[in-house]
Every structure is written in structure tokens, then in C-alpha cells.
Amino acid sequence: MINPKLRMVLSALTRPGGVALLSAIVLLAVLARPSAAQTPAPKPAAKTTTSHPSSGSTAANHPTNAHPTGNAGAEPAHNSAGTTRNPNGTMTVHTAKGAEITKRPDGRVESFKSPAGHEAIFDSRGRVREVYAHGMTVSRGPGGMRRTVFDRSDHARLVAYGHGRGYIQHPYTYGGHTYYSRAYYYHGGYYRAYYHPYYYHGVYLHGYMPAYYYPPAYYGWAYNPWPAPVPYAWEWAGNPWYGYYVAYFAPYPVYPGAAYWITDYLIAASLAEAYVSANASAQEESARLRSLAPARLIYASYDPDAGTTSPTMTKEVKDAVSEEIKRELAASQNAQDPASGNTASLATLLADGQPHVFVVNTGLSVASAGQDCGLTEGDVLALSKPPAQDATTADLRVLASKQNDCAKGEAVSVELTDLQEMQNHLLSNIDRAMAEMKDHPGQGGLPAPPAEAIQGTKEAPYAAAAPAADLNGAAELDQTAKQGTETEQQVVAEATAPDDSNASAPPIGGVAPEPTSPPSDPAAPIVIALGQTEAQVIAGKGQPTNKVAFPNKTVFIYPDMKITFVDGKVSDVQ
């Protein structure tokens, strides 16, 4: 039988004049568009177009049909050697062996494509940014971080960072709608999270969906101020990550309401992940962190009103994050249908036309003034207006960042997929913090929520319907990460191979391999003993990442320990 919609098109074609053609085109568009009862289908997983190697979501969540090499308007590739100048100012070189190299206007290589279809994309500094081969997308981020994305035959997606870290995502249906469940693996365990798919600006996004719904009164309690500000002692105050970032972030001295406590909960979780990511990106990373000069560990925040910087994440920046959290609490309290997922979508968030702030959830390389710069977990960005209707990226300004990340006050372009993941990160940490206050009322001296405010907590039905997590998920992710490393090495070797049999010939396209550091001999153990002087400790362990001075007492803070001196001599080591 003929599809009814197709019959309508055929009928439209028989009408006289231009109206017939216009009607047919409109009806064909209707045929192509999913109906309200349908869920938008994700695009193919392998090739991605990004302005950066997002370690969070771009390749992992929104594959596009655009060609990753970005030489739009160029002539079709061919096997004969030659050069094609592209409308965007780049130049594509076709080698005698059938490879294709696209160069930027400044002569740096932008992309490489082998005769077998393997591809490599390079950043503005000539470093590998993304590799595609064997059905894998391998992306690089700040500090050498590597992320591998692979789709299994059962439609599960593996996003691996190495060292047992990453997530496995499964699509499933509940109540006639498509959902995605993710199992995030970390330190041998995992936790679950749930998402709903939708399109925004033509981009396929995954919005966060909570596993539990609280009564509106609980969200109202968390939104409103407490009777009086209360102090709180965080358990992570002695952890290595906090010692490393103590110059960047400090918790509020007192909390006037739950939103401020959730703010520190969110930022602390982000920085703890940043510390783990930095140390896991390469085996030598821990040693590198310990050898950094103190000048490289100075951080700053940007004040958009005064146009000035300060050496720590300012209270004003944290207050802006708290206000964003309050907006989400109010939206959850007023939601008519918590299961709709509307409160988690960028479309809903940005429809108010108001400025918003985002906390970076994973390492990203982003575009800024034609160059690439890095963002890492815990950086804070501000968006002043929604992106243009046809834009797949948003322009934001950096409010707070670390020394080696994009500069404070700098304008950066962020993919909408990554912006959605930042929003997901905020929402998931709000939920975890709310669960913490509910399950441990009054902990640490915080006000306890009223009993009636937390009664009636419900599990989301779509969460109960999700497929089980992979039993060997962590091992699968490690294997995927290993294969991703091998794939990257293979494609980079292809890109750096001479274009003829002469071994002394330069690499095709002028692509140079990334330098590798030779393994160093294991160092002798460092002995820290009570009574040692500051000079003796520095001679053995190097300069601390930070120093805190008190009358008659000095504290040296290293990534792995804290050393206290009284009257110039070691009195305690933690």
C-alpha cells in the first residue's frame, strides 16, 4: 500500500502552478520529520565535527553528518597528486599515495585523511586533537587527556578515559519514549544516571533525568534561606586534591542556605575529578604535578563588572553559581510534570533570555580568538545570551579558571553538546547533595529539612525500567581505552610517514609526531622527618605547590601531603 503521506505528496504534485511544488516540498518535509509520538533518532556514531576534542560529550553524544576535516566547498578528493584551495582559506593537498592533507592559512596542518579513510584532526598548535579509525573516535583534551568513544553492535556506547574510568550508555524505551541509561565507572564501582534525548538547534542532546523525585516542599526548603548562617567542616579538607587547588577554591565560611552548601558540594566534586583526570591522563602526570614551580599554580577569577582578576575563585563567582542552583531548585519545585525532562533541556533553560553560569564538568579544548585553549573540571563560564538560531555552539566568557586553562575573561566557543553536559553535571550534583541532606539530616550542624518535606520521595519509573549495568563494564572500558591508544598511534604514524620510499623525506603535510618522554629511573624515596628545617624539606621534595603562613607556624602543601612547621621545623605530616 502507498504511505498516506506519500499519497498526499503525489496529489500535491498534480496541482497547477508553483503552489503544487511548494506543497509537495512542505509535505516531504513532514514525511522527514519525526512525529510527536516518535523519538528523534541519533545520527551515526563514528564521524564527528567539533571545534575541540571534547572529553565530555561532543563525540560521545552528538555525532554529525558533516565531514570532520572541515574543508567545506572543496573539490572532491582524488588520487592524483595536486592542491585544492578551499573557500575558507585552507588548502588541501592530495599526495601521490592518495592521502589528503588540509592546511590552515598559516600553513599548519588542520587534518589528515589516509587512503583507507582513517582521519586525524589537529589543533591550531599542530597537536593531535581527534582521530577516527576502526569505528572509534579518539579525542585529546588538556594535559594529554585521551577519550575513546566506541559503539558496540548492541547500540551501547562506550566512552573510556582509561584507568577504569568512563561510562557505558544503553538506549531503552519506557512508556513509548526513548531514554538513555549510563553507568559511570570509577575506582572499581559505578553509579547510574538517566537521560532523555531531544533536538535543539538541530543538535541531538541528552538531558539529565533524576532517578528520584522529591516533594515540592523539599525543593522550597532548599531554595529558601535558613534562619541563620551555619558553619560546616567538610571531610575533604585534608584530601590531596584540595591541597592542590587550595589557592583556587575555598569553601564558604558559613552557609546562609542549602543552595550555597550545594555550590561547594558541586565545585568540590568537580575539582576532585579534575585532580583524578590530571593524574590519570598519563603515568608520569603525578611526577609532573609535583615538579611544577609555584608560579604555575597561581589561579585567578574574573570579575565581569569590575574587569579585574583576583587570585582565587571569588565569592561573587560562587554566588553566581548559587543563584543558578536556586533557579533549578525553583524550576523543580514548580514543575507540573517532573518526568517531562523540560527542566533539564537547554531549550527551556535559555528561553528566559537571562544570563547563566556553567561549571565545567570535564576537560575540553575550545576555540578562543582563532586559537585553542583548555578548560578543566571546576572552571566557571558565563553565558550572557542564547546562541543564534542556527548556531551549534555558544559564546561564553570565562569567570574562573586555572593557570593553564583559558584565560580569565576570555571569550570561548563551546559546543551545545558540551554545554548540555555541564548542565547535566550541575543537575546531577544538586540531586546528590539533596540526597545527602535527606539521608543525613542535620549532619555537621546543618539545619535538618522538615520531616514532611522529605516524605513521599518517589523513584522515577523510567529509572526502574532501565537495563542492568554491564557486569564487566570497567574492564571493557579499559580495553576500549587501550584500543583507542593503539588506534591513535596508528593513524598518527600514517600521518607522519614519508610520502615516498625515501626515508629521509619530510612527513606528508608537515605533520610532526608528538614528542614522547623517555622513562625515567625510579627516584630514591624521600624522607620527611620531624625536626627537619624548611630548607631540608625543599631540598628533598622540592618547592611546595602552596604555602600558608601563621604566626610561628608555616604549612607546606604538596599534592600528596601537607607538612606543618613550628618555629621553622617539621612538627606534623599529613
Side-chain angles (χ1 to χ4, degrees):
M1 292 184 62
I2 297 178
N3 185 301
K5 292 183 179 179
L6 181 57
R7 184 181 293 112
M8 294 171 66
V9 174
L10 295 175
S11 174
L13 287 172
T14 64
R15 298 174 191 167
V19 175
L21 179 59
L22 178 60
S23 301
I25 293 174
V26 171
L27 289 171
L28 284 172
V30 171
L31 275 176
R33 182 188 304 170
S35 67
Q38 295 174 321
T39 301
K43 300 177 176 64
K47 295 186 181 181
T48 63
T49 299
T50 66
S51 64
H52 56 280
S54 154
S55 65
S57 63
T58 303
N61 293 309
H62 177 56
T64 73
N65 294 325
H67 196 282
T69 54
N71 46 328
E75 297 176 6
H78 47 78
N79 292 329
S80 59
T83 300
T84 301
R85 296 191 178 277
N86 306 312
N88 61 0
T90 61
M91 180 177 65
T92 301
V93 178
H94 304 277
T95 72
K97 286 188 175 182
E100 179 181 297
I101 305 101
T102 298
K103 295 185 177 182
R104 304 176 190 272
D106 63 3
R108 292 181 182 269
V109 173
E110 180 179 84
S111 64
F112 161 82
K113 184 175 182 179
S114 76
H118 302 164
E119 301 182 41
I121 302 174
F122 300 84
D123 66 15
S124 58
R125 300 178 184 178
R127 298 171 300 191
V128 175
R129 192 177 74 184
E130 191 168 82
V131 165
Y132 170 73
H134 310 307
M136 288 186 170
T137 299
V138 184
S139 302
R140 285 299 196 111
M145 181 213 68
R146 182 186 288 109
R147 182 204 58 195
T148 302
V149 180
F150 176 71
D151 284 353
R152 293 193 317 216
S153 58
D154 64 351
H155 306 294
R157 172 160 291 178
L158 283 70
V159 180
Y161 298 93
H163 300 273
R165 298 171 57 248
Y167 66 83
I168 299 179
Q169 175 176 284
H170 287 273
Y172 69 102
T173 58
Y174 174 78
H177 298 283
T178 296
Y179 294 89
Y180 288 88
S181 68
R182 293 180 189 173
Y184 286 86
Y185 293 83
Y186 183 82
H187 280 278
Y190 68 87
Y191 66 89
R192 307 291 299 276
Y194 310 93
Y195 302 84
H196 72 98
Y198 71 101
Y199 280 109
Y200 177 63
H201 286 211
V203 181
Y204 192 66
L205 301 177
H206 296 72
Y208 174 81
M209 299 287 285
Y212 292 89
Y213 296 116
Y214 301 110
Y218 187 32
Y219 295 108
W221 173 85
Y223 175 89
N224 290 309
W226 289 332
V230 296
Y232 184 81
W234 292 94
E235 295 180 354
W236 40 253
N239 288 359
W241 72 262
Y242 180 61
Y244 185 64
Y245 290 117
V246 70
Y248 175 67
F249 160 74
Y252 284 107
V254 294
Y255 295 96
Y260 299 89
W261 187 86
I262 297 174
T263 297
D264 279 346
Y265 184 100
L266 163 67
I267 297 172
S270 304
L271 294 177
E273 180 62 23
Y275 186 80
V276 172
S277 298
N279 281 276
S281 62
Q283 291 184 355
E284 68 273 13
E285 186 66 14
S286 285
R288 189 187 72 82
L289 288 175
R290 289 170 172 76
S291 66
L292 289 178
R296 295 188 64 186
L297 292 173
I298 298 174
Y299 308 98
S301 293
Y302 176 74
D303 185 338
D305 296 325
T308 59
T309 60
S310 57
T312 59
M313 179 185 286
T314 63
K315 179 180 181 299
E316 289 72 21
V317 170
K318 290 177 58 177
D319 286 350
V321 177
S322 299
E323 288 303 315
E324 196 69 44
I325 290 172
K326 287 181 180 179
R327 289 193 189 100
E328 294 300 338
L329 292 171
S332 296
Q333 181 184 19
N334 298 325
Q336 297 295 322
D337 179 12
S340 67
N342 290 334
T343 59
S345 72
L346 284 182
T348 301
L349 178 70
L350 304 183
D352 62 5
Q354 299 298 313
H356 291 276
V357 297
F358 297 83
V359 178
V360 177
N361 67 302
T362 191
L364 301 172
S365 288
V366 297
S368 177
Q371 299 294 318
D372 295 288
C373 62
L375 297 170
T376 56
E377 298 91 333
D379 291 349
V380 182
L381 311 176
L383 183 144
S384 59
K385 61 180 180 180
Q389 187 62 37
D390 58 347
T392 60
T393 62
D395 296 327
L396 298 95
R397 188 168 297 277
V398 180
L399 292 185
S401 66
K402 309 171 197 70
Q403 179 68 15
N404 294 326
D405 294 346
C406 302
K408 279 61 64 179
E410 194 167 0
V412 295
S413 178
V414 178
E415 295 281 344
L416 293 181
T417 43
D418 295 319
L419 204 63
Q420 177 67 71
E421 291 298 319
M422 294 180 200
Q423 176 70 1
N424 293 342
H425 177 62
L426 180 139
L427 294 173
S428 64
N429 276 281
I430 289 176
D431 276 358
R432 291 183 197 171
M434 295 280 284
E436 186 76 13
M437 291 186 290
K438 168 186 170 292
D439 296 338
H440 306 282
Q443 64 174 341
L446 295 179
E452 61 273 13
I454 56 178
Q455 291 176 352
T457 300
K458 298 178 180 179
E459 181 181 12
Y462 52 77
D470 297 68
L471 293 177
N472 299 316
E476 287 189 71
L477 289 171
D478 273 344
Q479 181 63 24
T480 300
K482 179 181 178 181
Q483 292 173 345
T485 300
E486 295 170 351
T487 295
E488 179 190 285
Q489 292 171 345
Q490 175 192 348
V491 177
V492 170
E494 294 172 357
T496 58
D499 193 37
D500 56 27
S501 57
N502 180 5
S504 63
I508 55 175
V511 180
E514 293 190 71
T516 56
S517 302
S520 57
D521 295 331
I526 299 172
V527 178
I528 305 296
L530 295 177
Q532 285 182 331
T533 64
E534 294 182 11
Q536 289 173 321
V537 170
I538 292 174
K541 195 165 177 61
Q543 289 286 349
T545 57
N546 287 287
K547 295 182 182 180
V548 182
F550 302 95
N552 301 323
K553 184 170 75 170
T554 303
V555 180
F556 282 11
I557 298 174
Y558 293 91
D560 60 341
M561 67 177 61
K562 183 168 61 175
I563 304 174
T564 301
F565 299 84
V566 174
D567 294 329
K569 295 185 178 181
V570 175
S571 63
D572 185 36
V573 179
Q574 297 179 357

